C-alpha cells in the first residue's frame, strides 16, 4: 500500500536515479546499498516523517525496519495505523 511512496522517497533521498526504479519489496537496503549509510538513515527517517506526518522515536530505529524496501514500507504502515 505504501510501497511505491516509500520507494520514491528512498530513491530521492539516496539519489539513486534510474537505478532505484528496479527496487521492489524484497530489495535489500541496509548493508546492500552503499548510499544508505548512517547519515542517509537519518535523512531518510526525516523524509518519511515529513512526507507521512509521523514521528520516529530513537528506539524504533532498527536494522530490521531498514532490511528491505518491504520492511520499511511495513514500518511506515505500522506508524500510520498505530
Amino acid at each position: 500500500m505504501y510501497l511505491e511512496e516509500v520507494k520514491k522517497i528512498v530513491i530521492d533521498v539516496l539519489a539513486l536515479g534510474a537505478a532505484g526504479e528496479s527496487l521492489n519489496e524484497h530489495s535489500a537496503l541496509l548493508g546492500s546499498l552503499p548510499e544508505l549509510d548512517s547519515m542517509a538513515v537519518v535523512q531518510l527517517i526525516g523524509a518519511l516523517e515529513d512526507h507521512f506526518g509521523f514521528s520516529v522515536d530513537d528506539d524504533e530505529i532498527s536494522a530490521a525496519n531498514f532490511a528491505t524496501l518491504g520492511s520499511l514500507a511495513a514500518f511506515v504502515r505500522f506508524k500510520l495505523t498505530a
Side-chain angles (χ1 to χ4, degrees), residues 4 6 8 10 25-26 31 42 45-46 49-50 53 61 65 79:
E4 287 304 313
V6 171
K8 182 181 179 332
V10 168
E25 67 180 310
H26 304 293
V42 172
I45 290 168
E49 289 176 329
D50 290 346
I61 301 170
N65 289 335
K79 291 297 292 180

Side-chain angles (χ1 to χ4, degrees), residues 24-70:
N24 63 50
E25 67 180 310
H26 304 293
S27 296
L29 298 179
L30 198 60
S32 294
L33 295 177
E35 297 87 355
L36 190 57
D37 59 15
S38 58
M39 288 304 296
V41 167
V42 172
Q43 292 174 331
L44 185 54
I45 290 168
L48 292 170
E49 289 176 329
D50 290 346
H51 182 82
F52 291 105
F54 58 69
S55 295
V56 177
D57 295 326
D58 289 344
D59 63 345
E60 294 177 307
I61 301 170
S62 71
N65 289 335
F66 288 86
T68 66
L69 187 61

